[in-house]
Amino acid sequence: MTHLLISGPPGTGKCKLLEEVSSDFEQVVWVTTLSSAEFVRKKLGRDDVWIIDTFTWGKKRGSSERDVVVFNPLNLNEVSLAINRVLDTVGEGYVLIMNSISGLLIYHSYQRLLQLLRATLVRVEADKSHSMFSLVKHAHEKSVEVSISMFFPNIIETHEDTIRVIKSSIPLEKNEFEKGLAKDIIKSMLIESL
């Protein structure tokens, strides 16, 4: 049970990494803040994933019974309740993915978001599970990015052709890797740090 933050500029493969790693987990809970549940489900190509949609506004229902649409993402309590309801249903041994923290920072102060983030991470640990979050680098003040990163024992930064390990809970031979090795590095960070 560990947590990972993937940070990087737009277009450097954060979402693709999340998708690739999630394919190796049976129980996946995906919180989307930048696209609809329908879009995420189509990209993942899986019907068994729980998707919490904080992007689609209003009283729209998801296309699957496992799509949970947060009607008012301006209310972080609703976001938290939706996450906890799904996690109650799933139980233990899941991976929680949030793509992206940046989507919630559009509407909320980082102090309020840090409270949600901390509560979510504590819940994931209690459930003996894993979590992966993404953050758009340079989209926020440096102090916000630093504050968020303090919650994570594992941090990876994406670049055009490489990933850089900023912080790791397991020993690694080096801190920069080709993008093709990213999935294996992330899986080892999540699994081996148990």
Side-chain angles (χ1 to χ4, degrees):
M1 65 207 129
T2 193
H3 312 293
L4 173 83
L5 177 65
I6 301 176
S7 176
T12 56
K14 295 178 296 298
C15 187
K16 184 175 170 127
L17 277 175
L18 293 172
E19 291 168 8
E20 288 175 1
V21 174
S22 73
S23 68
D24 288 347
F25 286 88
E26 285 184 37
Q27 295 193 90
V28 178
V29 177
W30 190 292
V31 182
T32 176
T33 69
L34 300 174
S35 53
S36 69
E38 184 177 19
F39 178 81
V40 172
R41 188 166 300 289
K42 188 175 183 180
K43 291 263 303 174
L44 295 176
R46 291 176 63 177
D47 293 330
D48 61 336
V49 174
W50 285 90
I51 301 175
I52 301 166
D53 182 344
T54 69
F55 177 78
T56 304
W57 288 64
K59 300 215 182 253
K60 181 179 178 187
R61 292 187 48 82
S63 58
S64 165
E65 65 181 30
R66 290 187 175 213
D67 292 350
V68 177
V69 178
V70 177
F71 299 134
N72 181 9
L74 291 178
N75 184 339
L76 276 181
N77 289 333
E78 282 190 39
V79 174
S80 179
L81 286 170
I83 292 170
N84 282 301
R85 274 194 307 268
V86 170
L87 296 184
D88 286 343
T89 302
V90 173
E92 293 184 351
Y94 57 81
V95 62
L96 172 74
I97 297 171
M98 181 181 284
N99 187 36
S100 155
I101 294 170
S102 297
L104 292 176
L105 281 169
I106 293 170
Y107 305 111
H108 304 285
S109 71
Y110 83 93
Q111 294 92 344
R112 293 222 39 238
L113 191 60
L114 288 176
Q115 293 171 351
L116 171 71
L117 186 60
R118 183 65 187 139
T120 303
L121 295 177
V122 167
R123 169 67 192 263
V124 170
E125 284 179 21
D127 289 346
K128 298 177 179 68
S129 297
H130 308 287
S131 67
M132 298 187 297
F133 293 74
S134 67
L135 179 71
V136 179
K137 189 167 180 69
H138 306 305
H140 318 285
E141 291 181 27
K142 185 71 173 169
S143 61
V144 172
E145 291 180 12
V146 169
S147 295
I148 290 169
S149 69
M150 293 176 76
F151 285 115
F152 293 91
N154 300 288
I155 303 173
I156 288 181
E157 192 173 276
T158 56
H159 299 279
E160 289 297 321
D161 299 318
T162 61
I163 63 159
R164 176 173 281 259
V165 177
I166 305 300
K167 189 161 91 173
S168 176
S169 58
I170 62 168
L172 297 170
E173 292 178 20
K174 56 185 182 175
N175 69 343
E176 194 154 345
F177 299 89
E178 294 176 23
K179 229 255 195 100
L181 298 174
K183 179 180 176 182
D184 292 333
I185 299 296
I186 290 171
K187 281 185 58 183
S188 66
M189 289 173 142
L190 291 175
I191 306 301
E192 290 179 29
S193 59
L194 291 175

